Structures are given as C-alpha cells and as structure tokens.
Amino acid sequence: MASRGVPCVLRRARVPTLRCLVRPLSIPNATLAVAAATRTFTTTSAVGADATKKQVKFTSDAYPNIKRNPNFAQVTAEDVKFFKDLLGAESAVIDGVTADAADDIEPFNSDWMRKYRGHTTLVLKPQNKEEVSKILKYCNERKLAVVPQGGNTGLVGGSVPVFDEIVLNTSRMNKIRSFDERSGVLVADAGVILEVADQYLAEREHLFPLDLGAKGSCHIGGNVATNAGGLRLLRYGSLHGTVLGLEAVLPDGTIVDALSTLRKNNTGYDLKQLFIGSEGTLGIITGVSILCPSRPKAVNVAYFGLESYDQALQAFSAARGRLSEILSAFELMDGRTQQLVHQVSGKKKPVEGDYPFYCLVETSGSDGEHDMAKLESFLEYIMGEGIVADGVLAQDETQFQTIWSWREGITESLSHLGGTYKYDVSIPLPELYQVVEDCRERLTKLGFVGDDDSFPVHSVVGYGHMGDSNMHLNVAVRQYNKDVEKAIEPWVYEWIQKRNGSISAEHGLGVAKKEFIGYSQNETMVKLMKQLKNLYDPNGIMNPYKYI
Amino acid sequence: MASRGVPCVLRRARVPTLRCLVRPLSIPNATLAVAAATRTFTTTSAVGADATKKQVKFTSDAYPNIKRNPNFAQVTAEDVKFFKDLLGAESAVIDGVTADAADDIEPFNSDWMRKYRGHTTLVLKPQNKEEVSKILKYCNERKLAVVPQGGNTGLVGGSVPVFDEIVLNTSRMNKIRSFDERSGVLVADAGVILEVADQYLAEREHLFPLDLGAKGSCHIGGNVATNAGGLRLLRYGSLHGTVLGLEAVLPDGTIVDALSTLRKNNTGYDLKQLFIGSEGTLGIITGVSILCPSRPKAVNVAYFGLESYDQALQAFSAARGRLSEILSAFELMDGRTQQLVHQVSGKKKPVEGDYPFYCLVETSGSDGEHDMAKLESFLEYIMGEGIVADGVLAQDETQFQTIWSWREGITESLSHLGGTYKYDVSIPLPELYQVVEDCRERLTKLGFVGDDDSFPVHSVVGYGHMGDSNMHLNVAVRQYNKDVEKAIEPWVYEWIQKRNGSISAEHGLGVAKKEFIGYSQNETMVKLMKQLKNLYDPNGIMNPYKYI
C-alpha cells in the first residue's frame, strides 16, 4: 500500500495492485480551496510581456480604430452632484476630477491583467436596485455611457471603460438575501463575491454550481453577466440551467423583477436568459437566484500519461460511461505544458517518463468508498485496455493538491517565458487538439519556433477542459511580435470557423473579441443580436465599444 | 429475504433486515418503458366529464371572448395552389375545403383531450427549414395566421387552431441528423418523436434528458418550444441547460441557424433561449442540438408512507443529501390519491395501513450495488429517525413497475369519478401541499364536498413532482359545475401569486392560461414579453390568441 504523501503509482503491469488504493478522500472543500489558491488568470494576446511596465497603455491607444461616440455626453459637476445627492454615502461616489481621487479611481479604470485601461472620472457604487434604476434613468436621459463592473476579473476588457464611461460598480450590493436548505435555492445580491457565497453554502452542506480561479474577487452578478463556465460546468451544467431568476435594471431604469426561486415556471418568454452572457450590454444585474447542489462528501483525483490524443478521447469516453454521475472534471494537458511546469517548479513529475498527453480526472460524490471503487474500476479498464500508459491516484489532500498543481500551474509556468498569445476556444471533440498541432506546424514552417533566443516563439502548447470541448491554445513568445501575431490571427479564427467552433468558449467578447464575432456567429445571428441591443438600449449607453 | 415479485416491506422495527435488500436492479430502460406505458394526460378544467361527447366543442364557442383578428387574411384557392406547388408531395398538403379532406383534417384541428377544437382548412407538412422559411415568408406577406404543431400532445390548447389558422405540422421533419458518442451531443429534426430519439440513444448507451408520458407521440421540437419539464428535470435539469443549439425560422422567413453542438460558446446573446418555452409564438423550431447523458445502468425505486407533510419535507432533504447524484425522482402522493388508485385498480396497497402522505423515490446510477447501498442507507436513516412509518423497495422489474403504477395510476383513477379540475402549479417547497389543504377547506366550507351524489365535489387531492416543487392540485367533481369553478378560480391563482409561485409549472400558457399570466408575471415582465413578440412577429401571425 502506498504511504501517505506519495501518490500511488499505477502501471499497466501493476493493475492488480489497484486494490491497494481503496482509501477514499473525504475533503469536501478541497477542490475549491486548491483551485482558488493556485489558479491564475491569463487571456488572449501577449500576457506577461507588458506586465512589468509601470503604466498600462490606454485601450484607446491600443485600439486606435475605436472612436469615442460623440453622441455621449461628458460628465459635468452637476452630474456628480446629482449622484452624490442620490447615493448619499461619501464612499458611494468616487469623483476622479478631484486631485485626491485620481489615484483612487485608477483601479476601476484598469483590469487586473494590466491590459486594458480607460479614462473614467466617475465611479458609482449603488446599494440596491432602486439606486441603480435612478442612476441608469438619469444616464439614459443625459446620454452618459455606463460600464457595469463587478469584481473586475474579466479576461476580455469588458469590465473597464474605454473612454470616459461612468463605472457602475456592484461591490456595495453584497448581501445574501435567502437560502432554502430544502430546495437548495440561494438568492443573493449581484455584488456578493463568489467565494463568499460558496463558503456560506459550505456551512450549509451545499455548493455554488460554478467555480473559477477568480472566485476570491469575482462577483456572482458578473459571473452571470458573462455566463462564466469554469471548472464545474461538466458536472453541474451552465448558468443557463442553474440560474432560476434574475433581478436587473434596463438602461431606461426599468426594474426587471424576475427573481423566481422556482425550478419550473412556464409562464412566458424566459427573459432572464438574455442577461446571462450579455456582458452588461442590456442592463445591470442586481440580484441572482440560483439552484445549488448538495456539497459532495468525497472528491478524488487521478492523473495519467497517454501516447496519443486518440487515447485521450478513448479515456474520456470511458470516464463518461464508467464514472458517469460522479465525474466532475476531465482535463487535458499536452506533454510540453507538463515539461514546462516541471522546469519552472522543479517538482518531481507525478509519473515517470515523458508522454505526449496527460489527463486529470476528478470525481465528486456522496460516498467516498463508492467513488473510489468506480474510479479504480475506470482506471483498471483504461490501463487493462492499454489506453493509458502510466498513472497516479491521490491518496490524501496533499497529493490531491499536488496533482491539481500540474494542471493549475501551467499558466504561471508559461508566464516565465515572456509573453503568451492565448486563445480560449471550443472545438468539436474529435479535433480539439488538432488546432494546437496545426498552429505549431504553421509557426514552425514560417521559421518562428526554436530553442534559442533568435526565435520569437518558444512553444506552442495546448491544455484545457476536455470534458467541455474547451481548449486553451497558447503560443509562448520570448517577446511580443507583430509578425507572429499576424501569422496566428485571423488564421486561428478561420480554422475554428471551419469546424463550427467558438472563438470564445467561456471568456466572452468584451473589447478583445468584438471584431471577431463573425467567425462564430453568422450574419443573421449578429443582425438579430444588434436588433435586440437596439430594442433594450436604443441610446447604446450600456458598456459601449464592446461585445457586438 | 423477500421472494421475487413481492416488494420487500420495511418497517421501523425491521430496519436491521434492510440488508436483505441488496439486490440491485439492472434495468436501464425500465423507468422509461413503464412511464410511457402507464402514464396518461390531463389538464386544467374539467377533464373527463365531456370526453364521451361525440363532437368536441369549438374553442371559439367555449371562449366567446376570443374574436378572430380581422387583420388576418383567409386562405384562398391560390394560397393552396402556392403551397402545393412549393411542397410537391400530395401528403404534404391537406386541403380541408375538399369533401374528402374534411375528415382528414379533423385530427389536426382538435387536441387529444377533446377540449380544444379549431376551424382550420389547411394543414402543411414541410420537410426542411427551407420549406418552412418559404411558407412563413408567404404567410407573413399575406397575413395568414399559422399554428405550429408537433405531436399535438399539449395540455393547454397551444397546438391546435382557434379559428382558421393554417396548421404547420412538423411530422415530416423526422430525421436524426447526427450523434457524437464521445460528447453525447444529438442533432435531430424538430419532428423526431421523443421516444424514437430516446430509443436511438438507448442503442448507443445514452439517454434523452427529458421524459414524459406523451413520449410516444410528442416531437422534440414541440418539447423545446414548450420547455417541457417531465420526470427527469430533477436529475438532468431543464432544457434551457441541455439544449445546445437550435435551428428555427422567424415569421418573416429568416432562418436562424444556431445549431451549435458546443457546450461553451460565449459569443453574443444566447438567442436560442427565447425559443425555449415560447410555444411557437416567435417562430418555428426546425432542428435541435441537445446534450445527452450516459444511460444509467441501474434504476431502483422505493415507496413509503408518512404521517405528515413536514415528514415528507424531511425525507426529501435526506434524499437530496444522501442520494445526491443518483436521485432521479422524488414524487409526493397524498393518501386520498392512493385510496382512489386502490379502489379503481383493486390492487393490494404497497404498504399496509393508511397514511396521509406517500413518497416515491427513484435512483438512477452507473453501479447497481452502490446505488442500492445508498438507497438502503437513506431508508435506514429515515426509518431510524422516525421520518417514515412504513415502506417497500422494489426487488425486480415487475415490482418496479408496480410501485410506479401507484403514482402513474392517479390520473386514470380520477377520471373514473367524472370530471377533474386540474392545476399544475409551482409553489416554494415549504407550502407546496398547503394549497391542497386550503382548497379542500374552502370547498368544504362552501358545502361543495361530500360523499354522496348530491355534492358536486368528490375529492380535493394533490400529488406531483415534489423534487421540482411542482404540485398537481386536482378537484374531482361528479359533474362539471360552474359554481365550483368560480369557487376555485381565481382564488387558487391569487393563492399562488401570494407565494410567488407559478400558475403553470410545466404545461405552459396556450389558450387555457393566457388570461392568467398576470398572477405569475408582473406588468413589467408582460410588457417586455409583448415588446419581444412584436419585434419578431409584428403581424402577430404566429400562434395567435394564445400565450401572452
């Protein structure tokens, strides 16, 4: 039997010894804690290369084609007075025009990646839907543009201004309104931090059906507005299914009170769905009602090496069939990403030797022994069939965290190389990894890829949520390089378009992907979207210059 | 050990003998087959009482307040010629004006409950989206009203005409387009029958994530258009979460091609969501892409008697926590419904004695032994804690079917009493059954309820999907009675409105509930819905006189 602290190694020849692994983990919160602690964020375009600069470039300079809409008014002293009178508390209004406030306002103008930066001079922090309604009504009448902002953890520049849009920050709407333990329905303000909501639920043996790296900062209203995907989608489904109701304010100040707590309600169009993933362009979400599952009592994780992507496909099929209701993550990492993590962290690899692919499988269930038995049976099958070459199974929480770090540590390891062009894409499963192969081949043929500093590209790697058909294609560069960028874009978008994939699986459009929507949506769809935007926001004041 | 064919009886004193029950059932298709075979349909208002009449009353007579919209054109011989030229095949057009066709057209004019009947003279059966597009474009220009019709199994009169609307039937769009076993994504025409789709999936070890009694007739396009709930919602979630893409045609003929097979695609508003539950008022769904789970390898069922609704609440909480990922149904039946089934069927009751409440718990999972162990542990707990008084656990497929028949047989048993006023409502869980108690008390106080034929009301009973907070309130009457109806409506809707419930949990609005939407949606929501309807269907030709 493996001693605690050392993951039990599984090899084909040792399949019979799998029985030694019956040691269920009972770490209800482990996944979440690990995830929050180790996960970091990156996005499209060269991340990291510019991160050391003192000042972030203005988005208006980085995207010179975006022009300020001259129909929008500029904030005046009277406007500021109106908002101060309305919101009362000093802390509810940050007026960037005054000298002191200029520093205070900077965090609301820039994103955490230091990639987007706006020119706002006014931040408003309303406390409830009525205040939001009065703000938007006033802004709509005055034609003042508004950027809704939650935890400002987005990846596409959607939550900071481009020009002088007013920032409407949801941080002071931060109350959990109700929770019904019998049905699992949570009702909370939009500005509640995801981790706070999940901790609240943990104390009540429930789980927020969404998990992502930014959970310590992001707001649940922002999660809904961006239709965040994250780690639990494979198991608990998308927010379109779990969100039961929303409270939101339209640009003209209309309060949309659709905060139902019912699982079934077939009385008319399900309007709340439009707000899910609308990135603040139709209005501002002020409250969320969401169905939360029972918290799993056991979480287990296994990690293994494979000789080909086809074997990864076979392993995933086996996991769906054999782990079925307890499967909670199926992640794919290519060999180069794991080599990188090894080089940067200096840690011993979980399995000996080098494989072109690695998978991480997580289970979450209500009975540790049952879950471990299923996981063993799955591993016996994939090893017995020769699908998997070598693998390990976590025996305790430390090992659980160690194994996850080989998936979670990729982003940080990449950042040590310089910059990274990152693409978060959905592709039908059979060709999920092909985009990485093709991109590597293309950049290699063009002479960009090499081992020494004379080559701009260090590596072309891929990893991601295989269970959701979601691949992160990463091109690690020694420095930001326009020629490399031109060789990737729009080639990669065309590649995805041909496969009916999505150019933005979970990060959204924002500023970064606005101009590329045509690669994932046809003209009719874009036309219908613009029609809808115009219906709800005829003055276009909500989060302008972004989305569609 | 219980012999096969006799459900094993569990009583508080006999909890230790639960171990004898470790006999997992491996009947992947059992639930579905049983369900399809035994379930029957009913709806609001007196069902059954009028069912023996030879001719169904015209909806236009039953609802004299509904007037034909004079803006709509009437079908002419030229119109019929246009459609015959367009659709080609003789069977694609039924022209009710000719003498022979009058009989052929009747099934398309009336619903299966014999409760709604229209006056159409034209049925069209296009084979693909292009034909649907040409039909709608023509109808929109000519201002000819259209009723989309799938399997015509609806419960609120939504799928048959009120006046002379053209019926656009989807039965000839009946091809399964693709299925990817690795991801579980099915793409199929809207007119594929639900059971056909599920059988196709069963052969591939997958499951359609929706199940309902009409599965042998209903079309998956109609299921999506009405956001059908059914039996698997507790486990697999709503269609808003499982439908990945739609292909639909707008009233002006625009083809909306959003038939994505991706789980994650954050590129713009999720417009397909508007069609889910729109009851054919925004356009016609022609294709569906849906995520299908692995088919469970084991299905088990238990049935028990309880002394109070509060104990049913406790049992449900315990089921959510202890059965968690394998819980697939939690049904509530009050004592009177079970007494009725006993009287009508003459069958021996599953448990001895009489209880005010009974629950049925079903599990579906990938490992029969594990599932049975969890179910046992759950039953030990609820019996040990005194939550449940008496219970049985199915030991084979026959018992499985027998136990389900005590839930499924309620509708038929009620129909033997005369008519039934039926209300399909959602109410927050704590008060779910209170509506039945209060209704019974009200009708009793008014002198309507009694044991002999001088009283119009025989029984006021309740049963339903407790796991979804979905109650079926049924008032069984000896004959249709206007005074009784007036005593129930709008009282029952007001009761539900006060609890923020839904007056239509899963059946939709159609003709039956159109005028009551205000009890579940506020004025703002209704206004926004009408705005949306007007945006997509300015001439109002799609399924008029219904919905909102």
Side-chain angles (χ1 to χ4, degrees):
Chain A
M1 183 179 275
S3 63
R4 288 182 73 85
V6 182
C8 188
V9 176
L10 322 170
R11 290 207 181 78
R12 257 177 242 172
R14 295 177 56 194
V15 168
T17 67
L18 268 167
R19 284 286 157 210
C20 79
L21 299 178
V22 186
R23 177 162 299 188
L25 301 177
S26 283
I27 37 172
N29 301 326
T31 328
L32 327 178
V34 177
T38 62
R39 223 164 291 146
T40 54
F41 270 99
T42 47
T43 184
T44 56
S45 287
V47 170
D50 296 329
T52 49
K53 284 188 190 167
K54 204 170 178 184
Q55 271 293 29
V56 183
K57 202 171 174 179
F58 283 115
T59 309
S60 54
D61 293 335
Y63 292 77
N65 292 335
I66 306 178
K67 306 292 180 197
R68 186 180 183 282
N69 182 342
N71 294 334
F72 294 145
Q74 288 180 315
V75 175
T76 64
E78 289 87 68
D79 296 328
V80 174
K81 183 177 181 309
F82 172 85
F83 293 123
K84 283 188 174 170
D85 289 348
L86 172 66
L87 301 181
E90 275 299 301
S91 58
V93 179
I94 305 175
D95 177 9
V97 171
T98 64
D100 277 0
D103 281 350
D104 296 343
I105 215 161
E106 202 44 39
F108 300 90
N109 256 325
S110 307
D111 72 323
W112 69 273
M113 300 179 299
R114 303 175 57 78
K115 192 160 181 293
Y116 300 94
R117 186 177 167 213
H119 304 264
T120 198
T121 60
L122 188 61
V123 176
L124 304 176
K125 298 182 181 176
Q127 250 184 323
N128 52 52
K129 64 184 175 188
E130 289 80 12
E131 288 183 355
V132 173
S133 171
K134 284 171 188 160
I135 291 170
L136 289 191
K137 189 167 187 297
Y138 181 89
C139 289
N140 195 44
E141 282 166 6
R142 279 271 296 130
K143 295 200 173 54
L144 288 162
V146 175
V147 177
Q149 186 180 79
N152 197 8
T153 61
L155 295 149
V156 288
S159 57
V160 288
V162 175
F163 297 101
D164 57 344
E165 302 92 274
I166 295 171
V167 171
L168 195 156
N169 185 286
T170 55
S171 59
R172 290 176 77 233
M173 292 188 280
N174 57 4
K175 290 184 185 53
I176 287 174
R177 301 191 195 173
S178 68
F179 178 65
D180 177 13
E181 299 200 22
R182 280 170 290 217
S183 61
V185 179
L186 175 81
V187 181
D189 284 358
V192 170
I193 289 170
L194 176 57
E195 193 165 48
V196 171
D198 193 54
Q199 277 304 323
Y200 175 93
L201 290 164
E203 289 159 16
R204 287 152 184 86
E205 294 175 25
H206 280 73
L207 180 84
F208 201 93
L210 170 75
D211 180 30
L212 40 81
K215 71 186 297 182
S217 308
C218 64
H219 295 185
I220 60 171
N223 296 146
V224 174
T226 57
N227 189 29
L231 287 171
R232 291 180 187 159
L233 191 131
L234 174 65
R235 174 64 172 276
Y236 302 109
S238 92
L239 292 170
H240 286 289
T242 51
V243 171
L244 300 180
L246 283 184
E247 177 190 272
V249 182
L250 297 180
D252 67 359
T254 299
I255 295 171
V256 177
D257 189 355
L259 209 46
S260 170
T261 59
L262 307 168
R263 287 197 73 166
K264 289 179 172 174
N265 182 13
N266 276 349
T267 56
Y269 305 124
D270 195 355
L271 294 176
K272 71 168 184 285
Q273 299 288 350
L274 289 178
F275 290 92
I276 302 175
S278 64
E279 300 185 27
T281 60
L282 296 181
I284 291 180
I285 295 169
T286 55
V288 173
S289 161
I290 189 162
L291 185 68
C292 302
S294 295
R295 205 163 189 90
K297 294 186 178 70
V299 184
N300 294 303
V301 69
Y303 175 101
F304 40 84
L306 309 103
E307 299 288 1
S308 69
Y309 179 67
D310 188 58
Q311 289 184 328
L313 279 175
Q314 292 173 46
F316 179 56
S317 277
R320 286 186 72 238
R322 286 163 187 263
L323 299 174
S324 194
E325 67 270 14
I326 60 164
L327 182 63
S328 56
F330 195 101
E331 301 285 313
L332 178 79
M333 298 81 71
D334 70 13
R336 290 168 207 234
T337 62
Q338 301 304 276
Q339 195 61 38
L340 268 172
V341 175
H342 173 63
Q343 283 164 5
V344 171
S345 69
K347 283 192 292 195
K348 188 173 174 292
K349 288 192 205 171
V351 295
E352 284 173 30
D354 284 316
Y355 297 93
F357 293 96
Y358 296 85
C359 287
L360 181 156
V361 177
E362 188 195 75
T363 63
S364 304
S366 59
D367 185 304
E369 282 191 38
H370 292 169
D371 294 0
M372 188 57 96
K374 287 189 180 90
L375 192 51
E376 271 177 58
S377 155
F378 161 70
L379 292 170
E380 274 179 28
Y381 173 78
I382 57 172
M383 297 189 82
E385 294 289 313
I387 296 168
V388 159
D390 198 357
V392 291
L393 190 58
Q395 293 296 297
D396 57 31
E397 194 174 332
T398 307
Q399 291 177 13
F400 180 93
Q401 294 191 22
T402 301
I403 287 181
W404 262 108
S405 75
W406 287 87
R407 164 67 181 84
E408 300 299 338
I410 297 171
T411 306
E412 197 207 324
S413 301
L414 281 164
S415 72
H416 286 254
L417 301 177
T420 311
Y421 289 97
K422 289 184 152 283
Y423 302 90
D424 163 48
V425 300
S426 282
I427 301 163
L429 211 48
E431 292 199 274
L432 184 64
Y433 192 74
Q434 193 61 45
V435 70
V436 184
E437 308 266 24
D438 288 2
C439 186
R440 186 184 299 129
E441 188 186 326
R442 177 179 169 82
L443 296 181
T444 304
K445 275 188 183 164
L446 288 169
F448 290 134
V449 189
D451 286 338
D452 67 68
D453 286 357
S454 67
F455 294 94
V457 177
H458 180 287
S459 312
V460 179
V461 303
Y463 61 98
H465 312 299
M466 185 168 174
D468 306 326
S469 278
N470 183 185
M471 174 58 58
H472 298 311
L473 162 66
N474 281 224
V475 179
V477 291
R478 295 190 168 85
Q479 59 280 320
Y480 186 73
N481 184 307
K482 271 283 166 195
D483 292 335
V484 172
E485 190 179 328
K486 280 183 194 159
I488 308 172
E489 297 177 29
W491 172 85
V492 67
Y493 297 124
E494 287 164 2
W495 194 100
I496 290 157
Q497 185 178 33
K498 278 182 207 145
R499 276 88 180 168
N500 295 315
S502 172
I503 60 147
S504 188
E506 54 185 6
H507 296 173
L509 295 168
V511 173
K513 302 284 183 73
K514 176 186 159 73
E515 63 180 304
F516 303 116
I517 187 173
Y519 290 102
S520 285
Q521 299 281 357
N522 59 44
E523 272 179 41
T524 304
M525 295 304 288
V526 174
K527 192 181 137 204
L528 289 170
M529 288 180 197
K530 288 186 172 168
Q531 187 186 38
L532 211 60
K533 165 75 176 175
N534 194 48
L535 177 73
Y536 290 108
D537 185 19
N539 294 326
I541 63 162
M542 295 305 305
N543 221 359
Y545 320 115
K546 297 163 190 165
Y547 202 61
I548 53 165
Chain B
M1 185 180 275
S3 62
R4 289 182 73 83
V6 182
C8 189
V9 177
L10 322 170
R11 288 207 183 78
R12 258 178 242 171
R14 294 176 58 194
V15 168
T17 66
L18 268 167
R19 284 286 156 209
C20 80
L21 299 177
V22 186
R23 176 162 299 188
L25 302 177
S26 285
I27 37 170
N29 301 326
T31 329
L32 327 179
V34 177
T38 61
R39 223 164 291 146
T40 54
F41 270 100
T42 46
T43 185
T44 55
S45 286
V47 170
D50 296 329
T52 49
K53 285 186 188 168
K54 203 171 179 184
Q55 270 293 28
V56 183
K57 201 172 177 180
F58 283 115
T59 308
S60 54
D61 292 336
Y63 292 78
N65 292 335
I66 306 178
K67 306 292 181 198
R68 186 181 183 282
N69 182 341
N71 295 333
F72 294 145
Q74 288 182 314
V75 176
T76 64
E78 288 88 66
D79 295 329
V80 174
K81 184 178 180 307
F82 171 84
F83 293 123
K84 283 188 174 169
D85 289 347
L86 172 66
L87 301 180
E90 275 298 301
S91 57
V93 179
I94 305 175
D95 176 11
V97 171
T98 65
D100 277 1
D103 281 349
D104 297 341
I105 215 160
E106 201 46 37
F108 301 90
N109 256 325
S110 306
D111 72 323
W112 69 273
M113 301 178 300
R114 303 173 56 80
K115 192 159 182 292
Y116 300 94
R117 186 178 168 212
H119 303 265
T120 198
T121 60
L122 187 61
V123 176
L124 304 177
K125 298 181 182 177
Q127 251 185 321
N128 52 53
K129 64 184 174 188
E130 289 81 11
E131 288 182 357
V132 174
S133 170
K134 284 171 187 162
I135 291 170
L136 289 193
K137 190 168 187 297
Y138 182 90
C139 288
N140 195 44
E141 282 165 7
R142 279 272 294 128
K143 295 200 172 57
L144 288 162
V146 175
V147 177
Q149 187 180 78
N152 196 10
T153 61
L155 295 149
V156 288
S159 57
V160 288
V162 176
F163 297 101
D164 57 344
E165 302 92 274
I166 295 172
V167 172
L168 195 155
N169 185 287
T170 55
S171 58
R172 290 177 77 235
M173 294 189 279
N174 57 4
K175 290 186 185 53
I176 287 174
R177 300 191 195 173
S178 68
F179 178 64
D180 177 13
E181 298 201 19
R182 281 171 290 216
S183 61
V185 179
L186 176 80
V187 181
D189 284 358
V192 170
I193 290 170
L194 176 56
E195 193 165 47
V196 171
D198 193 55
Q199 276 305 321
Y200 175 93
L201 290 164
E203 289 159 17
R204 288 153 184 86
E205 294 176 24
H206 280 73
L207 181 85
F208 202 92
L210 170 76
D211 180 31
L212 40 81
K215 71 185 297 183
S217 308
C218 64
H219 295 184
I220 59 171
N223 296 146
V224 174
T226 56
N227 189 30
L231 287 171
R232 292 182 187 157
L233 192 129
L234 173 66
R235 174 64 172 275
Y236 301 110
S238 92
L239 292 170
H240 286 288
T242 51
V243 171
L244 300 181
L246 284 184
E247 177 189 273
V249 181
L250 297 180
D252 68 359
T254 299
I255 295 171
V256 177
D257 189 355
L259 210 46
S260 170
T261 59
L262 306 169
R263 286 198 74 166
K264 289 179 173 174
N265 182 14
N266 275 351
T267 57
Y269 306 123
D270 196 357
L271 295 176
K272 71 168 184 288
Q273 299 287 351
L274 288 177
F275 290 92
I276 302 174
S278 63
E279 301 185 27
T281 59
L282 296 181
I284 291 179
I285 295 169
T286 55
V288 174
S289 161
I290 190 162
L291 185 68
C292 301
S294 295
R295 206 165 188 91
K297 294 186 179 69
V299 185
N300 294 303
V301 69
Y303 175 102
F304 40 84
L306 309 103
E307 300 287 2
S308 69
Y309 179 67
D310 189 57
Q311 289 183 330
L313 279 176
Q314 292 173 46
F316 179 56
S317 277
R320 285 187 71 238
R322 285 162 188 264
L323 299 174
S324 193
E325 67 271 13
I326 61 164
L327 182 63
S328 55
F330 196 102
E331 302 285 314
L332 178 78
M333 298 82 70
D334 71 14
R336 290 168 206 234
T337 62
Q338 300 304 277
Q339 194 62 38
L340 268 173
V341 175
H342 172 64
Q343 284 164 5
V344 171
S345 70
K347 283 191 294 195
K348 187 175 174 293
K349 286 193 205 172
V351 295
E352 282 173 31
D354 284 317
Y355 297 93
F357 294 96
Y358 296 85
C359 287
L360 181 156
V361 177
E362 187 195 76
T363 63
S364 305
S366 59
D367 185 305
E369 282 192 37
H370 292 170
D371 294 359
M372 189 56 97
K374 287 188 180 90
L375 193 50
E376 273 179 58
S377 155
F378 161 71
L379 292 170
E380 275 179 26
Y381 172 78
I382 57 173
M383 298 189 82
E385 294 290 312
I387 296 168
V388 158
D390 198 357
V392 291
L393 189 58
Q395 293 296 296
D396 57 30
E397 193 173 331
T398 307
Q399 291 178 13
F400 181 94
Q401 294 191 23
T402 301
I403 287 181
W404 262 109
S405 75
W406 286 87
R407 164 66 181 85
E408 300 299 338
I410 296 171
T411 306
E412 198 208 321
S413 301
L414 281 164
S415 72
H416 286 253
L417 302 177
T420 312
Y421 290 97
K422 290 185 150 282
Y423 302 90
D424 162 47
V425 300
S426 283
I427 300 163
L429 211 48
E431 292 199 275
L432 184 63
Y433 192 75
Q434 193 61 43
V435 69
V436 184
E437 308 267 22
D438 288 2
C439 185
R440 186 183 299 129
E441 188 185 327
R442 177 179 171 82
L443 296 181
T444 304
K445 274 188 183 162
L446 290 168
F448 290 134
V449 188
D451 286 338
D452 67 67
D453 287 356
S454 66
F455 294 93
V457 176
H458 180 287
S459 311
V460 178
V461 303
Y463 62 98
H465 314 298
M466 185 167 175
D468 306 325
S469 278
N470 182 185
M471 175 57 60
H472 299 311
L473 162 66
N474 281 221
V475 179
V477 291
R478 295 188 170 85
Q479 59 279 323
Y480 185 74
N481 185 306
K482 270 285 166 195
D483 292 334
V484 173
E485 189 179 328
K486 279 183 195 160
I488 308 173
E489 299 177 29
W491 172 87
V492 67
Y493 297 125
E494 287 164 2
W495 194 100
I496 290 157
Q497 184 178 33
K498 276 182 208 149
R499 276 87 180 168
N500 295 315
S502 172
I503 59 146
S504 187
E506 54 184 7
H507 295 172
L509 296 168
V511 173
K513 301 284 183 72
K514 176 185 160 73
E515 65 180 300
F516 304 116
I517 186 172
Y519 290 102
S520 285
Q521 299 280 357
N522 59 44
E523 271 180 42
T524 304
M525 295 304 288
V526 174
K527 191 181 136 205
L528 289 170
M529 288 180 197
K530 287 186 172 169
Q531 187 187 39
L532 211 59
K533 165 76 176 174
N534 195 49
L535 177 73
Y536 290 109
D537 185 20
N539 294 326
I541 63 162
M542 294 305 306
N543 220 0
Y545 321 114
K546 297 163 189 165
Y547 202 61
I548 52 165

